[in-house]
């Protein structure tokens, strides 16, 4: 199924959307995305989660500085593979287009859960987070081992045997799922606008899309989206990442995006 086509409004600002990066930002090169040559800092690209803020490494600093030289403004919601400790404590919280955001660089912002943003005259309800599905064999905690070496040895042994494990606060954070406060903030902000927005931007798709894709498990965030829909959440389009595929116009309103960069405004 092809991506939806949106006519460019001459003289207007633009909003594009894309999926997971996982700290691989090659999709934003001029070769892969030549249209950026026509964009300015008043144009936006939104990443639907799993942007790739991990550990403060030379590689990460290089790529963030590389992105900071781009002509457009890059926005992202969090996914389930993010270093939430750094997002929450390392980067300043700023007012941003009607909501709150973490400022990563001068043109890179993390859109926080539960806020509604006004971009190019359209309203965007942002709510990141999702459940990790690569932790079937457990989470390893430092306090359960006598020292770091013992944990590393056990991790290597388990992964060599084909187990799917992650390490708490190294490759997994409980903050991948929302708090009660974040969910309430989302409800409160939606109530202010009568539960009506132009776009819903999430990492995890809603239940209907998950079932359509053959994924039938549920979790806190999927149940939360169910409650928002039952409360009357109205929107023109819902965009999600997480499933690592490009699939558009599911039941006309739902879209899953991964590698593509699609203009929506």
């Amino acid at each position: 199924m092809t991506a939806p086509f949106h006519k460019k409004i001459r003289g207007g600002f633009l909003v594009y959307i894309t999926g997971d990066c996982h700290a691989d930002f090659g999709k934003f090169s001029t070769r892969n995305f030549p249209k950026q040559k026509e964009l300015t800092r008043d144009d936006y690209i939104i990443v639907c989660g799993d942007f790739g803020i991990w550990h403060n490494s030379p590689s990460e600093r290089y790529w963030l500085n590389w992105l900071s030289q781009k002509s457009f403004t890059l926005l992202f919601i969090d996914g389930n593979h993010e270093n939430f400790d750094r997002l929450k404590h390392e980067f300043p919280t700023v007012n941003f287009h009607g909501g709150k955001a973490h400022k990563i660089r001068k043109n890179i912002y993390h859109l926080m859960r539960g806020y509604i943003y006004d971009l190019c005259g359209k309203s965007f309800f942002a709510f990141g987070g999702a459940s990790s599905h690569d932790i079937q064999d457990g989470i390893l905690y430092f306090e359960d081992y006598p020292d770091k070496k013992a944990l590393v040895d056990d991790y290597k042994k388990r992964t060599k045997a084909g187990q799917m494990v992650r390490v708490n606060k190294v490759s997994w954070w409980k903050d991948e799922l929302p708090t009660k406060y974040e969910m309430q903030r989302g409800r409160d902000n939606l109530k202010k606008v009568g539960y009506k927005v132009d776009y819903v931007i999430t990492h995890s798709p809603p239940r209907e899309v998950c079932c359509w894709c053959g994924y039938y498990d549920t979790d806190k965030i999927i149940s939360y989206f169910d409650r928002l829909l039952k409360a009357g959440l109205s929107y023109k389009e819902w965009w999600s990442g997480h499933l690592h595929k490009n699939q558009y116009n599911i039941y006309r309103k739902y879209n899953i995006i991964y590698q593509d960069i699609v203009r929506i405004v």
Side-chain angles (χ1 to χ4, degrees), residues 133 205-218 222 243 245 247 250-251 256:
H133 302 298
R207 185 187 305 276
E208 191 171 12
V209 175
C210 289
C211 292
W212 186 85
C213 293
Y215 169 65
Y216 301 104
D217 289 344
T218 190
I222 293 174
L243 299 185
K245 62 172 65 179
Q247 196 75 50
I250 305 169
Y251 307 123
I256 306 168

Side-chain angles (χ1 to χ4, degrees), residues 7 20 58 90 163 179 191-192 226 247 251 255 263:
K7 183 179 179 181
D20 307 16
E90 180 176 326
Q163 292 188 16
T179 64
K191 286 178 183 177
K192 294 176 184 177
D226 281 348
Q247 196 75 50
Y251 307 123
N255 303 276
R263 180 163 50 84

Side-chain angles (χ1 to χ4, degrees), residues 139-143 151 166-174:
I139 304 297
L140 308 185
Y141 294 84
F142 281 97
E143 56 266 32
L151 183 148
R166 286 183 174 264
V167 180
N168 184 49
K169 292 188 177 294
V170 175
S171 57
W172 179 85
W173 284 259
K174 65 179 179 60

Side-chain angles (χ1 to χ4, degrees), residues 25 28 51 63-70 74 107-108:
F25 303 112
F28 299 119
F51 179 72
W63 285 110
L64 289 179
N65 289 336
W66 180 78
L67 289 169
S68 73
Q69 302 305 311
K70 292 293 180 179
L74 188 58
N107 65 324
I108 306 174

Side-chain angles (χ1 to χ4, degrees), residues 91-105:
F91 303 103
T93 300
V94 298
N95 295 320
F96 186 80
H97 290 260
K100 299 284 187 181
H102 292 121
K103 186 175 183 179
I104 311 300
R105 291 291 189 275

Side-chain angles (χ1 to χ4, degrees), residues 20 48-50 77-80 113 127-133 176-178 200-210 215 217-226 238-243 254-256:
D20 307 16
C48 292
D50 282 354
I77 60 170
D78 49 89
N80 51 299
R113 296 171 182 169
F127 207 94
S131 291
S132 293
H133 302 298
E176 66 178 25
L177 289 175
V200 177
I201 310 296
T202 65
H203 187 55
S204 175
R207 185 187 305 276
E208 191 171 12
V209 175
C210 289
Y215 169 65
D217 289 344
T218 190
D219 58 28
K220 180 192 295 187
I221 199 165
I222 293 174
S223 296
Y224 175 65
F225 294 154
D226 281 348
W238 187 317
W239 288 84
S240 302
H242 195 39
L243 299 185
Y254 297 125
N255 303 276
I256 306 168

Side-chain angles (χ1 to χ4, degrees), residues 35-214:
K35 293 180 181 179
Q36 66 185 276
K37 296 175 183 178
E38 304 170 8
L39 303 183
T40 72
R41 290 290 170 86
D42 291 318
D43 299 307
Y44 303 94
I45 299 179
I46 303 174
V47 178
C48 292
D50 282 354
F51 179 72
I53 296 293
W54 281 93
H55 304 287
N56 192 1
S57 65
S59 176
E60 180 188 271
R61 292 193 293 273
Y62 169 84
W63 285 110
L64 289 179
N65 289 336
W66 180 78
L67 289 169
S68 73
Q69 302 305 311
K70 292 293 180 179
S71 59
F72 50 83
T73 295
L74 188 58
L75 313 177
F76 69 95
I77 60 170
D78 49 89
N80 51 299
H81 296 310
E82 315 281 4
N83 186 328
F84 289 95
D85 289 340
R86 291 186 63 211
L87 279 179
K88 291 182 176 181
H89 304 298
E90 180 176 326
F91 303 103
T93 300
V94 298
N95 295 320
F96 186 80
H97 290 260
K100 299 284 187 181
H102 292 121
K103 186 175 183 179
I104 311 300
R105 291 291 189 275
K106 59 186 177 181
N107 65 324
I108 306 174
Y109 295 86
H110 166 231
L111 304 181
M112 296 168 63
R113 296 171 182 169
Y115 286 106
I116 298 173
Y117 301 89
D118 182 0
L119 303 174
C120 304
K122 303 294 183 180
S123 56
F124 292 76
F125 176 67
F127 207 94
S131 291
S132 293
H133 302 298
D134 51 3
I135 56 172
Q136 290 92 326
D137 298 299
I139 304 297
L140 308 185
Y141 294 84
F142 281 97
E143 56 266 32
D144 294 333
Y145 295 85
D147 52 41
K148 181 178 178 180
K149 182 180 182 302
L151 183 148
V152 171
D153 290 344
D154 188 38
Y155 176 82
K156 290 180 178 178
K157 179 181 178 180
R158 288 170 178 255
T159 54
K160 187 176 181 180
Q163 292 188 16
M164 291 188 177
V165 297
R166 286 183 174 264
V167 180
N168 184 49
K169 292 188 177 294
V170 175
S171 57
W172 179 85
W173 284 259
K174 65 179 179 60
D175 303 311
E176 66 178 25
L177 289 175
T179 64
K180 291 181 180 179
Y181 173 77
E182 290 169 330
M183 292 188 288
Q184 186 60 53
R185 179 168 66 204
R187 287 190 291 267
D188 290 343
N189 285 325
L190 285 170
K191 286 178 183 177
K192 294 176 184 177
V193 296
Y195 276 86
K196 184 176 182 180
V197 294
D198 292 306
Y199 297 92
V200 177
I201 310 296
T202 65
H203 187 55
S204 175
R207 185 187 305 276
E208 191 171 12
V209 175
C210 289
C211 292
W212 186 85
C213 293

